[in-house]
Amino acid sequence: MLTALLAALSITLISLIGALFFGKSVESSKLHRIILPGAIGVFLGVVFFELIPETLHASELGGSLALLGGFLGFYLLSHLLDTYHHHHRAHDECEKGGARKLLIGDAIHNCADGVVIGTSFLINPTLGILTTVGIALHEVPQEIAEYGVLRAAGYSPRRALMLNFISATTVVLGVLLTYLFGETLEEYTYILTGVAAGNLLY
């Protein structure tokens, strides 16, 4: 269990790479013209090449429902929040609201990654290490993109870094849940990946 937790912690630390990539100051025009379109490409790649295939491979019907539920759930949540705060929110606050929803979806995705890591270590430590390396490789561009989105939404470098790190800590939660509930939790990982995919699509 200790090795799996250390692996999860290493994934969490990847969330700090965005600050190293961007530095302390980034021009707003660059964020909106270059970084945001690139971030959208990264997130769509994660959704269509990783999350959706992984979800539907585990359960076509259940995975489809999880995807739909994730998309509609965040659509309804966004609609309700935007309606409630419509007359009290500035444009930059709306952008921050979108960034917060992205953080929620990423937290769910990271928790699912934690379940995958924990399950892999339960099966075989070598498999666990290989799985961690694979997850780390796809996390690097995603975390850089997410940090860029948070900065574009108006967060300070320190605040963006902190929020991104907090969102990433759910990897550890996923590992802990796996060790608490055993390998049976793997059967339901597709629900987490499906909801995360639906959120990122939205």
Side-chain angles (χ1 to χ4, degrees):
M1 179 176 177
L2 179 60
T3 308
L5 287 173
L6 289 173
L9 182 60
S10 69
I11 297 296
T12 302
L13 292 175
I14 290 174
S15 67
L16 305 176
I17 198 170
L20 297 174
F21 183 81
F22 285 111
K24 290 188 176 180
S25 61
V26 189
E27 292 179 26
S28 178
S29 60
K30 284 186 178 179
L31 283 169
H32 289 280
R33 286 188 297 105
I34 301 170
I35 303 303
L36 289 183
I40 291 169
V42 170
F43 294 138
L44 288 177
V46 169
V47 168
F48 287 110
F49 295 115
E50 182 193 344
L51 293 179
I52 289 179
E54 185 178 332
T55 299
L56 297 181
H57 177 73
S59 173
E60 287 190 14
L61 178 59
S64 299
L65 292 175
L67 282 163
L68 184 62
F71 184 89
L72 292 178
F74 280 95
Y75 168 79
L76 292 173
L77 176 64
S78 174
H79 177 72
L80 290 172
L81 290 175
D82 288 344
T83 301
Y84 183 75
H85 296 289
H86 179 68
H87 299 292
H88 306 284
R89 298 174 68 188
H91 176 70
D92 59 343
E93 183 60 27
C94 291
E95 285 191 355
K96 287 191 177 182
R100 290 188 195 110
K101 291 164 198 166
L102 176 64
L103 285 169
I104 293 170
D106 189 48
I108 296 170
H109 176 200
N110 289 330
C111 186
D113 282 345
V115 172
V116 172
I117 290 171
T119 303
S120 299
F121 272 100
L122 282 173
I123 296 170
N124 186 305
T126 302
L127 178 61
I129 292 170
L130 292 173
T131 300
T132 302
V133 170
I135 288 174
L137 290 175
H138 88 247
E139 280 294 312
V140 169
Q142 184 175 331
E143 294 298 342
I144 290 172
E146 187 167 322
Y147 180 82
V149 170
L150 293 174
R151 292 286 287 113
Y155 287 105
S156 67
R158 181 176 294 182
R159 183 76 172 166
L161 192 64
M162 183 187 72
L163 290 173
N164 210 25
F165 181 78
I166 291 171
S167 173
T169 58
T170 55
V171 173
V172 177
L173 176 63
V175 169
L176 290 173
L177 287 173
T178 303
Y179 274 86
L180 282 174
F181 297 103
E183 294 180 24
T184 53
L185 189 63
E186 186 183 19
E187 298 176 19
Y188 304 101
T189 306
Y190 72 89
I191 297 175
L192 291 174
T193 57
V195 171
N199 168 261
L200 287 176
L201 274 176
Y202 174 73

